[in-house]
Amino acid sequence: MKYIFVTGGVVSSLGKGLTAAALGTLLENRGLKVALQKFDPYLNVDPGTMNPYQHGEVYVLDDGAETDLDLGHYERFTNVKLTRFNNLTSGQVYQTVLNNEREGKYLGKTVQVIPHVTDEIQNRIHLLADQSKADVVITEIGGTTGDIEGLPFLEAIREFALEAGHGNVVFMHVTFVPFIKAAGELKTKPTQQSVAKLREIGIAPHILIARCERPLDKELRQKISLFCNVPYEAVIEEKDVDHSIYEVPLMLQRDRLDDLVCRLLHLDTPTANMAHWQEIIRKLIAPQHRVRIGVVGKYIELQDAYKSVYEAVIHGGVANDCGVEIVKVDAEDIEREGAEKILRGLGGILVPGGFGERGIEGKIMAAKYARENKLPYLGLCLGMQIATIEFARNVLKLDKAHSTEFDPDTPHPVIALLDEQKKITKKGGTMRLGAQPCQLVMGSMAANLYGAFVVNERHRHRYEFNNAYRDKFEKADFVFSGTSPDGKLVEVIELPNHPFFIASQFHPEFRSKPHQPHPMFKGFIGAAHAHIHHRPL
């Protein structure tokens, strides 16, 4: 078993997760089986209860684990099958250690960070290695080198490398080489300081990934090599991409990162064939068509809040050889200025998931605008509930229809709390989570998009369509085209007399990849392009 540890320095948000995923892509295309995992130093047990402004998107896995958004990169870039064992937080580590102490498993010993906490961290690496049977395990350490909360993780991987032995472990450090505009030059000092900090801890990186906005010249690479004690060829340039994050694997391949990693780990493999990846980039850089899609949300100013949604929209564009301009629409702007002014000229409208009352009325106005103007609409989770509320108010004339999440006293609770949720008081990990089967209606748009009648999709919600109103909706041609196998829970709704109006209670964005675009996003972008060009679907 071979191991790669990815650390980061200088600042956060350098793209460690993206770099790990891109390397995973290259190694997979060399014929290796890869496993990836993310270690997060924060004390939350998982990010499920964290505000998007604090953490960004919560990425949900098939087994219901609420995880870091970097796991989305892992799944989009590679073929790995992730579970809750692929994401570890300090909260989980300390929870396990304290439970073990209470159960007497440490036989009366003083429980300490070393060895008990560091041993538990190492146990998770061994667990993933044993379960995955992978050739290479890539472990990303969250946070920034020097952060106090990250020290136990760095100590754990230092110890782990000692045990694994020479030739079986590679330390890859992602660092920042800033461009100082006033001086007109790139500066290597932050990288030198970061590597020095890492070496103080006892870890000497084998490879440096230099994040930069300008190319590194030979002199700069030599300087980084000399002062950071890494070979010249192990200083890898990772410049800001011009068009898409999906360019990163090809960029790293050009700098021969995968060749270097395989040599360090004594892996004899053929060169990665990235022809399919190059075709994806071609469609992103020079698409045959173009369309503008409005994403109506409440965390619009935060790029990472809807990360998987934005990526799935781009994948839908790749499937249609169509460049997509994502127009980020603040739902509160619609409330203030009206839907016509804000949404006019778009090819389609997407309303993603979310929690809380802010911006709800703006989203309802967006759904109404899409329905009345025959504008393609895709609703995800809350977006399905929004479409339901809008239809109830404006077509069924159910005055003040709403979700009990936002108005507990609504006279028409068309969206209500799941029965099994009513007695739950704890917030973390208690929603309807993970992959659930969905039965699609034969002949429906949903079934035609999927080309199947039973699908498995990931959920993250507490509220559902209220079946007490089902007959009223069905009589008004509001189609329930997907349900749970027992027929009790509504999973997909659509409007038949509309070019494309479909919404799901689940989150299809979590299953989309650039080379395997999700059928709902593929259909949505195709419909949006047809709408703009007045072409039949």
Side-chain angles (χ1 to χ4, degrees):
M1 186 73 68
K2 307 293 184 179
Y3 302 91
I4 300 169
F5 294 106
V6 182
T7 57
V10 185
V11 293
S12 60
S13 301
L14 280 179
K16 296 188 300 297
L18 189 55
T19 302
L23 177 58
T25 304
L26 294 171
L27 295 179
E28 275 194 348
N29 282 280
R30 295 181 78 115
L32 296 167
K33 185 178 180 183
V34 174
L36 293 106
Q37 66 184 164
K38 171 76 183 287
F39 289 170
D40 278 307
Y42 52 72
L43 284 171
N44 303 67
V45 174
D46 61 45
T49 57
M50 294 169 73
N51 187 307
Y53 288 108
Q54 289 277 312
H55 184 268
E57 172 187 80
V58 175
Y59 189 81
V60 181
L61 305 179
D62 276 356
D63 65 358
E66 296 174 286
T67 67
D68 186 80
L69 60 82
D70 278 332
L71 276 77
H73 289 314
Y74 302 166
E75 286 201 330
R76 284 187 285 272
F77 277 73
T78 70
N79 296 308
V80 294
K81 303 296 183 186
L82 302 180
T83 71
R84 61 185 66 251
F85 298 116
N86 295 81
N87 196 192
L88 179 68
T89 69
S90 288
Q92 292 174 27
V93 173
Y94 284 105
Q95 191 175 59
T96 301
V97 168
L98 292 174
N99 286 342
N100 288 344
E101 186 273 334
R102 291 291 85 184
E103 293 169 14
K105 291 184 178 179
Y106 298 126
L107 304 176
K109 292 180 180 177
T110 301
V111 179
Q112 297 175 291
V113 173
I114 303 173
H116 302 99
V117 170
T118 51
D119 282 354
E120 184 57 35
I121 294 168
Q122 292 178 64
N123 286 342
R124 283 296 286 267
I125 303 171
H126 286 300
L127 180 64
L128 180 63
D130 292 342
Q131 287 188 343
S132 67
K133 301 293 189 289
D135 299 306
V136 182
V137 175
I138 303 175
T139 303
E140 174 194 351
I141 311 299
T144 307
T145 298
D147 292 347
I148 192 169
E149 62 265 29
L151 292 175
F153 289 95
L154 295 176
E155 171 60 21
I157 63 174
R158 184 195 68 79
E159 295 174 11
F160 188 95
L162 203 61
E163 177 190 321
H166 179 73
N168 294 319
V169 174
V170 163
F171 287 111
M172 195 164 79
H173 191 55
V174 183
T175 185
F176 183 44
V177 182
F179 177 76
I180 307 301
K181 191 173 181 180
E185 59 183 351
L186 292 164
K187 292 293 185 180
T188 65
K189 189 63 71 177
T191 294
Q192 295 176 44
Q193 296 288 342
S194 179
V195 171
K197 193 67 171 175
L198 200 59
R199 290 169 69 184
E200 280 179 23
I201 296 165
I203 296 173
H206 300 92
I207 300 170
L208 287 180
I209 307 292
R211 288 284 287 112
C212 50
E213 55 182 291
R214 304 287 180 94
L216 296 179
D217 59 28
K218 183 178 180 181
E219 185 181 342
L220 276 172
R221 287 198 191 207
Q222 287 175 335
K223 188 175 182 181
I224 292 171
S225 169
L226 177 64
F227 287 104
C228 296
N229 201 35
V230 297
Y232 176 85
E233 64 172 359
V235 180
I236 307 294
E237 176 187 288
E238 193 175 55
K239 193 170 75 71
D240 294 351
V241 291
D242 296 322
H243 301 280
S244 166
I245 59 172
Y246 301 113
E247 296 175 66
V248 174
L250 300 178
M251 179 196 303
L252 296 179
Q253 187 184 41
R254 283 194 296 271
D255 248 17
R256 307 179 70 87
L257 173 63
D258 52 325
D259 289 343
L260 176 59
V261 166
C262 288
R263 191 159 68 252
L264 289 169
L265 293 175
H266 308 299
L267 294 167
D268 186 14
T269 62
T271 302
N273 181 355
M274 300 296 287
H276 65 296
W277 212 261
Q278 289 166 344
E279 178 59 14
I280 290 168
I281 300 305
R282 198 278 303 163
K283 290 179 178 179
L284 289 168
I285 294 174
Q288 297 295 309
H289 316 288
R290 294 197 178 273
V291 71
R292 297 170 73 236
I293 298 296
V295 176
V296 182
K298 61 185 287 189
Y299 307 114
I300 287 302
E301 65 271 32
L302 188 68
Q303 172 70 18
D304 285 345
Y306 303 115
K307 187 66 178 173
S308 291
V309 173
Y310 295 150
E311 294 306 316
V313 169
I314 299 299
H315 304 162
V318 169
N320 288 278
D321 205 348
C322 186
V324 181
E325 178 190 346
I326 296 174
V327 180
K328 300 173 183 178
V329 179
D330 191 320
E332 291 180 290
D333 287 344
I334 297 177
E335 293 174 3
R336 285 189 293 266
E337 302 181 42
E340 172 68 26
K341 180 178 179 181
I342 302 294
L343 304 175
R344 185 174 57 234
L346 295 174
I349 294 172
L350 186 152
V351 178
F355 298 90
E357 189 176 358
R358 183 169 64 83
I360 290 297
E361 293 303 321
K363 295 176 185 179
I364 292 171
M365 291 166 69
K368 182 174 187 284
Y369 181 84
R371 179 179 58 80
E372 292 182 342
N373 291 276
K374 305 296 183 182
L375 184 62
Y377 176 92
L378 178 60
L380 312 176
C381 195
L382 177 61
M384 189 209 87
Q385 299 174 5
I386 290 294
T388 302
I389 295 165
E390 188 282 318
F391 194 90
R393 289 183 185 179
N394 299 307
V395 178
L396 301 182
K397 305 302 180 185
L398 299 177
D399 190 38
K400 297 182 180 178
H402 221 314
S403 165
T404 54
E405 179 182 3
F406 312 120
D407 182 4
D409 300 320
T410 174
H412 296 293
V414 292
I415 304 294
L417 198 64
L418 283 160
D419 287 341
E420 61 264 31
Q421 292 285 327
K422 290 178 180 176
K423 295 180 181 178
I424 291 175
T425 56
K426 290 185 177 180
K427 298 295 184 187
T430 56
M431 287 184 275
R432 186 179 180 217
L433 290 164
Q436 310 280 346
C438 172
Q439 182 81 41
L440 301 177
V441 174
M442 187 178 298
S444 66
M445 178 181 287
N448 291 337
L449 289 172
Y450 277 97
F453 299 120
V454 178
V455 296
N456 271 279
E457 295 284 6
R458 299 177 190 178
H459 292 251
R460 184 175 185 254
H461 62 101
R462 297 184 192 278
Y463 292 80
E464 287 273 0
F465 180 86
N466 186 345
N467 285 323
Y469 290 87
R470 203 149 163 178
D471 287 344
K472 285 185 188 298
F473 277 83
E474 287 181 325
K475 287 174 182 175
D477 278 344
F478 189 90
V479 176
F480 302 104
S481 55
T483 63
S484 55
D486 61 9
K488 292 181 179 178
L489 300 177
V490 172
E491 302 281 37
V492 185
I493 63 96
E494 58 187 70
L495 298 181
N497 299 316
H498 192 288
F500 191 97
F501 194 107
I502 190 167
S504 65
Q505 185 59 77
F506 47 75
H507 288 269
E509 68 269 25
F510 292 148
R511 285 202 183 278
S512 190
K513 298 172 184 277
H515 51 286
Q516 296 169 14
H518 192 282
M520 288 183 77
F521 286 89
K522 179 180 177 180
F524 175 55
I525 300 302
H529 176 254
H531 173 81
I532 288 296
H533 294 276
H534 307 291
R535 295 175 180 170
L537 280 174

